[in-house]
Amino acid sequence: MNKETFSYGKILAIGSGFFALTLVWTVYNTYMPLILGEYIESRAIRGSIMGLDNLMAVLLIPIIGAWSDKLNNPLGGRLPFLAVGMPLAALFFILLPFASELTLWLLLGVDIVFLLAMTIYRAPVIALMPDHTPVEKRSTANGMINFMGGVGALLALFALAPLYDISGTYPFIIGGILLFLAFILLFFIVDRKPKYVNVELEASEEAMALTSLKHDIGKLFRRSFRGHLLILMAIFLYFIGYSGLEAQFSVYATEYLGTTGGEAGFTLGFFSLAFVIFAIPAGLVGTRLGKSQAMLLGLVLLPAIFLIMPWITSLLWLKALLFIGGIAWALINVQAYPLVADLGGMTKIGFFTGMYYLFSMASSIFAPAILGLTMDLFGHPALFYSAAVTFVIAFFLLRGGMNKLQSANNETIEQKTNNLLKE
């Protein structure tokens, strides 16, 4: 293969797809609960609707990703899905706030088409990076793609969120336009016959999750995997707290604190900002202390912050606490996948990678509804209290899982020693 044709500039342009994807999802997750609130009072029901995108992702994205791998078209394997999904998603994303002014059923219809369109193009747009990147450069290229995604999230919360107070349609209109412009850029930038497309690719997150659910979940209940199961359950639980809080924060801020929608989104942005800034330092902390110890530290710090938040009414202090919370979240989330991958040793990395995505993504399906239900039953502050509970339980599960693994490792060493002595 001719490596000289590889271009980081092209990868950055391809990253515009992930930039637009993240920006649109951030706007959607922040303001769709408020739009639904015009018709639906129950936070649990609103949360259930918010979980639809994750359910569609787990069920449909693996199929679409595999289809785009095999599609033989003059536009290549990925672009046909982008050509359908991105303009359609952009259009229906723009229509969401306008549909909310008419009827609930029209709003839900527009929402379902939007979610389907996003699902159509998500796997193909993510696959563009490895299609255009040689294996030895994929880690760097993936870092660039994820950086673009982080920029998209920050732009949504710090630039588009304030516009929500001028008109609830503005973040959706601008987000939709940016999504369409990203498609135009990709249409002209993407190679029709990418030179690295035949290189064996890693499966998508959703494909790994679905495969693990179908074929591998039973293996976790073997006695030898008890420690591993406890760690995965810890990940499932704290993702319920994180995903649920992310989806319901705008509801809490507007209905309980009396903020505007724009202020709610801007305030939440400090959590994401801290995560982006401290992701690399958090990795260094994990290297120094150990992955599990860094996670345990974050699992103590974050619920402590959550328990304080219901008592805070000042937006300035709330932003400060959310910023500290973002640092704690970086300590947890940056270590999580590497820790789970380590559980597989050299022979079971694929198995535990699939399990990680299964447990983390499954939680996002149920999280908005679960935390929304606690708000319905016990009031708005229950959002933070219930999120704190998930992190506290996750702390004990993670610590218990690591202790079991250590005990099992010590027993193995002892058995090997005894065998040597007998010889």
Side-chain angles (χ1 to χ4, degrees):
M1 294 181 180
N2 299 321
K3 294 182 182 178
E4 66 271 16
T5 61
F6 171 75
S7 165
Y8 281 119
K10 179 172 284 190
I11 296 303
L12 209 57
I14 287 172
S16 66
F18 198 57
F19 161 85
L21 178 79
T22 308
L23 182 146
V24 165
W25 276 134
T26 303
V27 172
Y28 179 84
N29 288 332
T30 304
Y31 294 115
M32 191 60 182
L34 301 185
I35 291 174
L36 289 169
E38 297 171 11
Y39 293 98
I40 303 169
E41 183 178 356
S42 169
R43 292 102 192 156
I45 295 175
R46 281 187 257 172
S48 299
I49 295 171
M50 294 298 295
L52 276 177
D53 61 307
N54 295 297
L55 180 61
M56 285 185 180
V58 172
L59 295 179
L60 296 179
I61 286 179
I63 299 170
I64 293 168
W67 188 4
S68 73
D69 285 337
K70 299 174 182 177
L71 185 65
N72 186 11
N73 186 280
L75 291 177
R78 317 297 183 193
L79 270 179
F81 293 92
L82 272 58
V84 173
M86 293 182 78
L88 197 62
L91 174 61
F92 279 80
F93 186 64
I94 291 171
L95 290 177
L96 276 171
F98 295 100
S100 71
E101 297 174 0
L102 300 174
T103 68
L104 173 61
W105 293 110
L106 181 61
L107 172 62
L108 293 177
V110 170
D111 185 34
I112 289 171
V113 175
F114 163 71
L115 293 176
L116 282 171
M118 292 291 282
T119 303
I120 286 170
Y121 89 86
R122 180 176 167 181
V125 82
I126 291 173
L128 289 175
M129 183 278 287
D131 281 356
H132 292 76
T133 311
V135 173
E136 66 273 11
K137 295 184 182 292
R138 284 185 185 168
S139 292
T140 304
N142 192 52
M144 294 170 64
I145 296 292
N146 281 285
F147 171 77
M148 293 288 284
V151 171
L154 293 179
L155 183 65
L157 293 171
F158 285 119
L160 298 190
L163 297 179
Y164 187 84
D165 293 341
I166 301 173
S167 171
T169 63
Y170 285 173
F172 291 87
I173 292 173
I174 296 173
I177 291 171
L178 289 174
L179 180 56
F180 184 75
L181 290 176
F183 163 68
I184 297 297
L185 178 62
L186 290 173
F187 187 84
F188 290 104
I189 288 291
V190 169
D191 295 338
R192 280 12 180 200
K193 301 292 181 183
K195 55 191 298 112
Y196 304 103
V197 74
N198 292 325
V199 177
E200 186 177 351
L201 304 180
E202 295 179 2
S204 70
E205 298 173 10
E206 293 82 7
M208 290 184 179
L210 188 60
T211 300
S212 296
L213 178 62
K214 285 181 178 177
H215 305 296
D216 298 330
I217 189 69
K219 296 178 184 177
L220 282 180
F221 295 95
R222 297 174 183 172
R223 187 175 182 276
S224 58
F225 283 143
R226 283 180 184 172
H228 308 73
L229 179 59
L230 288 175
I231 293 170
L232 289 166
M233 287 173 63
I235 291 169
F236 177 82
L237 271 171
Y238 74 62
F239 262 110
I240 284 182
Y242 168 76
S243 300
L245 193 147
E246 182 186 41
Q248 297 285 3
F249 179 82
S250 59
V251 175
Y252 171 85
T254 55
E255 295 182 1
Y256 186 69
L257 297 180
T259 70
T260 64
E263 289 171 336
F266 189 83
T267 301
L268 185 60
F270 284 85
F271 190 93
S272 298
L273 177 64
F275 179 80
V276 170
I277 293 173
F278 286 94
I280 293 175
L284 297 176
V285 172
T287 301
R288 186 174 182 83
L289 296 182
K291 300 180 187 72
S292 61
Q293 292 303 312
M295 288 182 72
L296 290 171
L297 178 61
L299 288 171
V300 170
L301 182 59
L302 197 50
I305 292 168
F306 286 163
L307 291 175
I308 297 171
M309 282 184 180
W311 303 91
I312 303 299
T313 56
S314 164
L315 282 185
L316 179 63
W317 281 106
L318 196 59
K319 290 169 185 173
L321 284 173
L322 283 168
F323 189 85
I324 299 170
I327 298 173
W329 177 240
L331 286 173
I332 298 166
N333 199 40
V334 167
Q335 330 294 336
Y337 171 67
L339 175 67
V340 173
D342 288 349
L343 299 179
M346 297 297 293
T347 59
K348 294 186 177 68
I349 292 176
F351 168 73
F352 280 106
T353 296
M355 286 299 162
Y356 172 79
Y357 289 127
L358 173 61
F359 277 74
S360 60
M361 295 185 73
S363 64
S364 299
I365 297 171
F366 307 107
I370 291 173
L371 266 64
L373 180 61
T374 66
M375 295 169 74
D376 287 342
L377 296 176
F378 306 109
H380 289 81
L383 172 65
F384 289 106
Y385 294 136
S386 54
V389 167
T390 66
F391 279 84
V392 170
I393 298 173
F395 171 88
F396 288 106
L397 288 172
L398 177 60
R399 191 173 69 172
M402 294 306 299
N403 287 340
K404 278 190 175 294
L405 290 178
Q406 184 62 45
S407 298
N409 188 47
N410 290 339
E411 287 176 10
T412 302
I413 293 172
E414 186 178 347
Q415 287 171 358
K416 288 181 178 178
T417 303
N418 290 335
N419 290 336
L420 287 172
L421 290 172
K422 287 177 182 177
E423 292 174 2

